[in-house]
């Protein structure tokens, strides 16, 4: 009888151990997805060092086979190449539109510093490596902040950007009641960036966290950062 009791206890203990191991295995987190640079794109700003101060927005789309596309306010995008190491991402265009951009990366692939040179002109640069999204991170969001003209001159305070929820369009203005968020149709870039062009007006912007950064070229240049409402 005692032998039977000991056997039952031993079997019960084994079952408990097996159940505990199975539960731990079931709850184990999924392995992290390997980092792929093409799952990301660069969004950043460039500020002139000489002449009239002006800050603009640019994007670099990172494609297969080390190809890349540089997007700014120009109507024509530039094709270049990129090189990635453990500590740096370098983008380069050769020829008549020669330019080079370097982004220092930390161990988590976050940009810690940026450098940019177009032909002989160097710029103060910023950059972020943002994940490419399949969803529109701008849709349905409203942002508010101050817009500056040609550098540090305040042009419009409390400017609002209102992005439509069901289309790639937006409206902006200082009178919230008159903003039509279907007024301007944009091209979505990487899920969190946009480019709008109409006549002599071009706007580029991107959202990171809860902040929208926008550059507008319309005769003069305008720039601002706007907080999500």
């Amino acid at each position: 009888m005692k032998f039977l009791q000991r056997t039952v206890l031993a079997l019960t203990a084994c079952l408990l151990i097996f159940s505990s191991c199975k539960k731990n295995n079931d709850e184990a987190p999924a392995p992290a997805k390997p980092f792929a640079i093409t799952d990301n794109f660069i969004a950043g700003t460039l500020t002139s060092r000489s002449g009239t101060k002006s800050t603009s927005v640019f994007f670099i789309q990172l494609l297969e086979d080390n190809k890349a596309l540089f997007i700014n306010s120009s109507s024509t995008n530039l094709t270049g190449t990129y090189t990635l190491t453990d500590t740096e991402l370098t983008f380069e265009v050769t020829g008549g539109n020669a330019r080079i951009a370097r982004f220092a990366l930390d161990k988590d692939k976050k940009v810690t510093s940026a450098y940019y040179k177009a032909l002989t002109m160097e710029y103060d640069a910023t950059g972020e490596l943002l994940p490419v999204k399949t969803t529109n991170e701008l849709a349905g969001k409203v942002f508010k902040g101050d817009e500056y003209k040609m550098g540090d001159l305040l042009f419009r305070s409390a400017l609002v950007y209102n992005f439509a929820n069901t289309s790639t369009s937006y409206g902006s203005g200082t009178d919230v009641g008159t903003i039509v968020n279907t007024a301007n149709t944009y091209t979505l870039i990487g899920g969190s960036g946009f480019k709008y062009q109409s006549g002599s007006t071009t706007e580029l912007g991107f959202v990171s966290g809860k902040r929208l950064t926008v550059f507008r070229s319309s005769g003069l240049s305008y720039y601002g950062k706007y907080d999500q409402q």
Side-chain angles (χ1 to χ4, degrees):
M1 185 69 177
K2 289 183 179 179
F3 174 77
L4 180 61
Q5 289 177 335
R6 286 197 296 268
T7 302
V8 171
L9 288 173
L11 288 172
T12 301
C14 289
L15 288 172
L16 288 173
I17 293 171
F18 175 77
S19 176
S20 176
C21 290
K22 185 176 186 301
K23 183 178 180 181
N24 289 338
N25 288 336
D26 290 344
E27 293 178 354
K33 182 181 178 182
F35 176 80
I37 192 64
T38 51
D39 290 338
N40 303 270
F41 72 105
I42 289 283
T45 64
L46 301 172
T47 302
S48 54
R49 291 183 176 179
S50 59
T52 303
K53 185 178 180 182
S54 176
T55 299
S56 60
V57 166
F58 72 95
F59 303 108
I60 300 176
Q61 291 182 317
L62 303 163
L63 311 176
E64 300 292 343
D65 300 321
N66 295 96
K67 303 296 183 183
L69 199 63
F70 181 83
I71 303 170
N72 63 1
S73 59
S74 173
S75 58
T76 303
N77 300 327
L78 298 177
T79 301
T81 59
Y82 68 88
T83 304
L84 176 67
T85 69
D86 288 338
T87 59
E88 187 175 78
L89 173 65
T90 302
F91 166 77
E92 186 172 12
V93 176
T94 59
N97 288 308
R99 62 201 61 219
I100 188 167
R102 294 193 185 95
F103 306 93
L105 305 174
D106 65 14
K107 61 181 179 63
D108 298 316
K109 294 296 187 289
K110 303 293 184 183
V111 175
T112 57
S113 65
Y115 168 84
Y116 183 86
K117 181 179 181 181
L119 297 177
T120 61
M121 292 186 63
E122 294 183 330
Y123 295 78
D124 292 325
T126 69
E128 294 184 57
L129 196 60
L130 300 177
V132 174
K133 301 281 190 177
T134 56
T135 55
N136 186 344
E137 299 299 300
L138 298 163
K141 294 179 180 178
V142 176
F143 302 86
K144 183 178 181 180
D146 296 333
E147 181 183 58
Y148 294 86
K149 178 173 69 174
M150 301 302 292
D152 298 325
L153 180 64
L154 179 62
F155 183 65
R156 289 188 290 181
S157 61
L159 177 63
V160 171
Y161 280 86
N162 184 327
F163 290 85
N165 189 43
T166 57
S167 63
T168 51
S169 63
Y170 70 99
S172 63
T174 55
D175 185 350
V176 176
T178 63
I179 296 174
V180 179
N181 64 12
T182 56
N184 306 319
T185 300
Y186 61 86
T187 299
L188 186 64
I189 299 172
S192 53
F194 77 94
K195 182 175 182 178
Y196 163 76
Q197 282 187 303
S198 178
S200 61
T201 298
T202 301
E203 277 192 304
L204 299 96
F206 62 93
V207 62
S208 176
K210 292 185 178 296
R211 174 161 284 191
L212 177 72
T213 300
V214 178
F215 164 73
R216 179 167 62 91
S217 174
S218 183
L220 300 176
S221 64
Y222 306 84
Y223 172 81
K225 291 188 176 183
Y226 309 87
D227 295 321
Q228 186 176 338
Q229 302 301 292

